Amino acid sequence: GFLSENATFAKRCAEAGIVFIGPPAEVIEALGDKLSARRIAQKAGVPVIPGTDDAVESAEQASDFAERCGYPVMLKAAFGGGGRGMRKCKNGSQLKELFEAASREAQTAFGRGEIFIEKFVENPRHIEVQILSDERSKTVHLLERDCSVQRRNQKILEVSPSNKLTSKQKKTITKYATKLARNIGYQNAGTVEFLLSSEGNIYFLEIFSIQF
């Protein structure tokens, strides 16, 4: 369950001499913060969606970014997932209304209300890559799956292998997934999520761990 992504739990296991089947605590902590994960991806040369490098502290600050980047934009919780704390904003008045709602939902769901903002990617494909990494950072991928059929930002259907990606896109997206895992020192099984835009641009979203 959610303990598979709990850095404190992984650390306590290590302190007690219990083998934790998952990434090291420091890796879980770094990836649990979506802003930190964005910076890690950028450092590894993996593209991310244009967005803010830090949490935005107010609707006015979010509006400044949106005016520069152009609407629509997506508000996202910096800590959390599962579609919680996410709001699509089509204009400035809507952004002001939804900023507080997104922050409140994030605070309730994850105990942290920080919000960042990204350019909204229209009609993307949601692609996931399964990875396996050992303690020596040897990483392999188990191909990709297309999770674009969703409801409220939650996937309903997965198709593997994807019948919508070109061979070149599959090669690129799996290369990004394994490169990112090696760079951060990921261990055990994980899923690397990407968006593929209608223009063919690949953007990193997040990595989450899997327990068996």
Side-chain angles (χ1 to χ4, degrees):
F2 289 114
L3 284 177
S4 68
E5 296 182 312
N6 188 308
T8 301
F9 179 72
K11 183 179 180 182
R12 292 291 298 274
C13 285
E15 290 171 348
I18 298 171
V19 176
F20 176 73
I21 304 175
E26 61 272 18
V27 174
I28 297 176
E29 190 169 24
L31 294 176
D33 177 350
K34 287 184 169 57
L35 288 167
S36 170
R38 278 174 57 90
R39 291 190 286 269
I40 291 167
Q42 289 173 307
K43 187 176 180 180
V46 178
V48 298
I49 301 170
T52 56
D53 293 328
D54 300 298
V56 290
E57 299 178 357
S58 65
E60 290 73 24
Q61 190 178 355
S63 181
D64 289 342
F65 170 83
E67 293 296 336
R68 295 194 306 271
C69 183
Y71 288 94
V73 295
M74 179 70 86
L75 299 172
K76 289 185 176 182
F79 299 88
R84 309 292 293 276
M86 294 177 63
R87 296 290 190 281
K88 176 186 175 182
C89 303
K90 299 178 181 179
N91 52 57
S93 59
Q94 192 178 54
L95 187 149
K96 292 178 181 179
E97 176 185 345
L98 295 178
F99 180 85
E100 293 299 331
S103 182
R104 283 196 303 270
E105 184 177 52
Q107 179 67 42
T108 300
F110 313 116
R112 300 285 297 267
E114 292 94 325
I115 296 293
F116 70 105
I117 185 170
E118 290 179 339
K119 176 69 177 174
F120 182 78
V121 181
E122 300 277 5
N123 302 314
R125 303 213 70 79
H126 188 115
I127 308 297
E128 297 182 353
V129 178
Q130 197 71 58
I131 57 166
L132 291 173
S133 296
D134 65 16
E135 67 277 8
R136 296 177 296 277
S137 295
K138 181 176 175 58
T139 304
V140 298
H141 68 81
L142 305 179
L143 302 178
E144 84 295 336
R145 54 184 181 263
D146 195 318
C147 309
S148 302
V149 180
Q150 299 190 359
R151 179 176 181 268
R152 296 180 181 175
N153 300 306
Q154 288 289 288
K155 56 192 176 185
I156 297 173
L157 182 68
E158 298 184 359
V159 179
S160 184
S162 172
N163 58 3
K164 299 295 184 180
L165 272 65
T166 66
S167 296
K168 183 178 179 180
Q169 287 170 334
K170 291 183 180 186
K171 185 176 181 179
T172 299
I173 210 165
T174 52
K175 180 186 74 174
Y176 283 156
T178 53
K179 181 180 181 181
L180 189 53
R182 285 194 299 270
N183 270 263
I184 195 175
Y186 197 91
Q187 291 180 24
N188 289 287
T191 298
V192 190
E193 296 190 9
F194 297 90
L195 284 187
L196 175 67
S197 73
S198 55
E199 297 82 18
N201 296 317
I202 297 170
Y203 300 115
F204 164 75
L205 283 181
E206 64 176 328
I207 302 180
F208 61 89
S209 59
I210 297 172
Q211 302 300 95
F212 296 101

